[in-house]
Amino acid sequence: MDENENNMPDLLDLDEFDEEALKAESAELLEMRFLNGENAVFCRTEGGFISLKTGDKTYDRVGVYLTFPLTNPEEFISIREADEKAKEIGIVEKLGALPKDQQEMLREQIKLRYFMPVITKVLDVKDEYGYAYWNVTTTFGACRFTTQMSGDAVIHLSDSRLLVTDIDGNRYEIPDFYQLGVMERKKLDLFI
């Protein structure tokens, strides 16, 4: 036997592999937990975040994610740990099943995460070198942003509802394309 072989660490140390712990962790990940007013209490933290107490566990801070953000924002809300892994804690099946004050806390968090101004007026859209430069008025005031001409910068959510995503990933909504003026719709012909 070569002298170096005895000094090499064993790459697969079976003593460190805990099959039962792996099975338990897998089962926990696959288990779907529904959170409601009977088994979960959401509270606001001093820093303005949301904490959760469910069963014997308390989470000092949780993240609130919509599973269907555009089509069903009041149902199947994923509550996750606030770290970089964002491990799911449970699902709020219906937001209305929680006490009113907790519903409002979660809605505030959703509005922050899914901030999406509504475009109320299209002042101008210029096409230059594969990019579109938008000048619009939104529900939050005047706004200028850039989208790519190719790809999915403008997505049809329905026959008249549009979702616009700029090059920085910010989203804007046009709830009804046909409510815009004739000249505004003409400016959007590149995307329709």
Side-chain angles (χ1 to χ4, degrees):
M1 184 178 269
D2 187 0
E3 186 177 315
N4 290 334
E5 286 181 27
N6 289 336
N7 294 333
M8 289 185 60
D10 188 10
L11 295 178
L12 181 60
D13 187 357
L14 295 178
D15 292 336
E16 290 183 26
F17 181 72
D18 187 350
E19 185 177 357
E20 291 305 314
L22 184 61
K23 283 182 182 179
E25 185 177 345
S26 296
E28 185 182 340
L29 288 172
L30 294 174
E31 180 186 347
M32 183 173 285
R33 291 178 209 88
F34 288 103
L35 304 172
N36 55 47
E38 295 174 11
N39 66 4
V41 177
F42 294 93
C43 296
R44 190 178 315 278
T45 67
E46 286 183 30
F49 299 108
I50 301 292
S51 67
L52 168 65
K53 181 168 181 18
T54 180
D56 60 348
K57 280 193 156 186
T58 299
Y59 299 89
D60 293 333
R61 182 175 172 194
V62 295
V64 181
Y65 297 82
L66 297 177
T67 52
F68 303 104
L70 299 173
T71 57
N72 203 357
E74 292 280 316
E75 295 182 5
F76 301 105
I77 299 162
S78 176
I79 306 300
R80 303 180 191 172
E81 293 180 2
D83 61 12
E84 63 277 351
K85 292 181 184 175
K87 180 179 161 190
E88 188 169 79
I89 299 164
I91 298 279
V92 174
E93 190 173 7
K94 293 185 184 292
L95 194 56
L98 295 175
K100 292 275 188 213
D101 62 328
Q102 294 181 43
Q103 289 178 39
E104 290 309 311
M105 280 187 266
L106 294 181
R107 282 191 185 101
E108 285 174 16
Q109 293 298 309
I110 289 167
K111 283 180 184 176
L112 290 171
R113 180 172 304 283
Y114 296 94
F115 178 71
M116 185 166 45
V118 172
I119 295 175
T120 56
K121 188 164 187 65
V122 178
L123 303 172
D124 196 21
V125 181
K126 291 182 183 175
D127 170 24
E128 292 181 13
Y129 307 109
Y131 290 95
Y133 299 91
W134 297 66
N135 183 7
V136 299
T137 303
T138 72
T139 48
F140 291 90
C143 184
R144 292 177 186 261
F145 60 89
T146 305
T147 62
Q148 290 185 335
M149 289 299 294
S150 61
D152 295 329
V154 178
I155 297 173
H156 291 265
L157 299 175
S158 70
D159 290 339
S160 61
R161 187 177 175 201
L162 303 175
L163 176 69
V164 181
T165 306
D166 70 14
I167 59 173
D168 294 321
N170 300 309
R171 296 175 304 243
Y172 305 86
E173 180 185 6
I174 300 176
D176 189 349
F177 172 76
Y178 298 106
Q179 290 297 315
L180 297 174
V182 174
M183 293 306 292
E184 292 175 279
R185 291 195 309 262
K186 257 185 149 14
K187 293 172 186 171
L188 295 178
D189 277 345
L190 295 167
F191 303 102
I192 310 303

